[in-house]
Amino acid sequence: MLEKILVTKREEIEQLILPEYVEVPQFSLYKALSNSNRSTGLIAEVKKASPSKGIICENFNPVEVAKGYEKGGADAISVLTDVTYFKGHRDYLSTIKKEIALPVMRKDFIIHKKQVDETRNMGADAMLLIVGTVPIKELKALYDYAYSLGLECLVEVHAKEELVELLSCFAPEIIGVNNRNLKTFETSLTQTEEMATLIPDGSLFVSESGIHTSADIERVKNVGAAGVLVGESLMRAESPEKGIHALFGGESVAASS
């Protein structure tokens, strides 16, 4: 599946036309997660569909979802911008960014500098980089280029070998462990548990995917995750606010201002 997605991305990059630069206030993803009012920082994901689950939310209003996340006390928002496989769009991010006062991260398969320029122009505060999508030195170059433009990066790994390879090159400010294997799309929180001890002390540790309950939150928090990225369980909730409340077991927090 990952290779199929990357083939599509390479085709998209050839046709990519950069959007006009959006002038918006910038917020730090790292600071938001580090200073969360909860015991674990939350990146709440605006997500209509996925290759493994199909359509997750039929009546999809990305701005209303993001506003609900903000009201529910999320620390940051992740927005899927991949059109083909996740039914996202870059306009979702640009519109959301104008409506909320939280860090907004672009979730996509970024493999080229032109996509970094696109990310900056659409108004994002941060973006996802995935180990294994390009050679590690190219990933480092994309990471450095993003930071030179004022973008932060969450660098994602899926296996111990990927994390070892990443750390042999550089230690990102934010490291995400995806509990979903992008080759098989199977999900297990043991990914986070097994890789936790390898995360450097200087990197903020985020657990991604497969988090559906307050017990899951406790499980990843107990091995050192400072933040979680959650999409599907929140998108399927009765409302974004109720989804966040249930996810944190009723742990209260004032909505971000």
Side-chain angles (χ1 to χ4, degrees):
M1 177 56 71
L2 178 58
E3 189 50 46
K4 184 179 179 183
I5 291 171
L6 293 179
V7 169
T8 302
K9 286 295 145 187
R10 294 179 193 114
E11 293 170 352
E12 290 176 0
I13 290 164
E14 291 180 5
Q15 309 295 325
L16 180 58
I17 298 173
L18 296 181
E20 291 293 319
Y21 177 67
V22 177
E23 188 70 54
V24 287
Q26 295 296 117
F27 301 97
S28 168
L29 176 63
Y30 182 89
K31 288 180 181 177
L33 294 175
S34 300
N35 300 315
S36 175
N37 290 319
R38 287 195 177 86
S39 56
T40 309
L42 172 64
I43 306 173
E45 190 152 88
V46 178
K47 180 179 185 178
K48 181 177 183 177
S50 77
S52 59
K53 302 290 185 176
I55 298 295
I56 295 168
C57 181
E58 288 287 353
N59 300 313
F60 183 66
N61 185 321
V63 172
E64 290 307 309
V65 171
K67 285 182 175 179
Y69 286 155
E70 183 176 39
K71 189 176 179 181
D75 299 291
I77 307 293
S78 169
V79 183
L80 264 299
T81 59
D82 173 79
V83 176
T84 305
Y85 299 96
F86 291 86
K87 309 302 180 191
H89 200 280
R90 70 187 188 187
D91 289 350
Y92 295 163
L93 190 151
S94 295
T95 307
I96 287 169
K97 181 62 186 170
K98 294 173 185 176
E99 297 289 336
I100 67 169
L102 293 176
V104 178
M105 182 179 82
R106 182 187 185 187
K107 185 102 174 276
D108 210 315
F109 298 82
I110 296 175
I111 57 175
H112 193 280
K113 282 180 69 175
K114 197 171 182 181
Q115 291 171 292
V116 182
D117 290 329
E118 179 191 30
T119 304
R120 189 272 309 268
N121 283 12
M122 66 175 70
D125 300 288
M127 67 181 206
L128 181 73
L129 285 174
I130 304 173
V131 175
T133 54
V134 294
I136 198 66
K137 288 185 178 179
E138 289 183 25
L139 192 88
K140 175 65 161 59
L142 291 172
Y143 180 92
D144 289 342
Y145 183 57
Y147 275 83
S148 77
L149 297 180
L151 289 165
E152 295 179 349
C153 296
L154 189 162
V155 181
E156 177 179 292
V157 294
H158 310 88
K160 279 187 178 181
E161 308 82 69
E162 291 181 348
L163 181 55
V164 170
E165 181 186 22
L166 171 64
L167 296 178
S168 71
C169 183
F170 72 109
E173 188 176 48
I174 310 171
I175 297 177
V177 172
N178 194 330
N179 299 303
R180 176 173 292 116
N181 185 315
L182 282 193
K183 294 178 181 175
T184 65
F185 271 73
E186 293 177 356
T187 305
S188 173
L189 295 184
T190 57
Q191 288 283 93
T192 287
E193 292 169 332
E194 291 176 356
M195 295 165 69
T197 57
L198 299 177
I199 304 292
D201 290 340
S203 297
L204 192 146
F205 175 23
V206 177
S207 182
E208 310 170 51
S209 302
I211 296 167
H212 301 282
T213 66
S214 57
D216 293 336
I217 295 284
E218 284 300 309
R219 188 172 164 185
V220 299
K221 183 180 75 173
N222 286 341
V223 295
V228 291
L229 188 151
V230 185
E232 183 183 343
S233 64
L234 296 179
M235 291 300 305
R236 293 189 188 279
E238 185 179 340
S239 72
E241 299 98 310
K242 288 181 179 179
I244 291 173
H245 185 75
L247 189 63
F248 283 86
E251 188 181 339
S252 61
V253 64
S256 300
S257 59

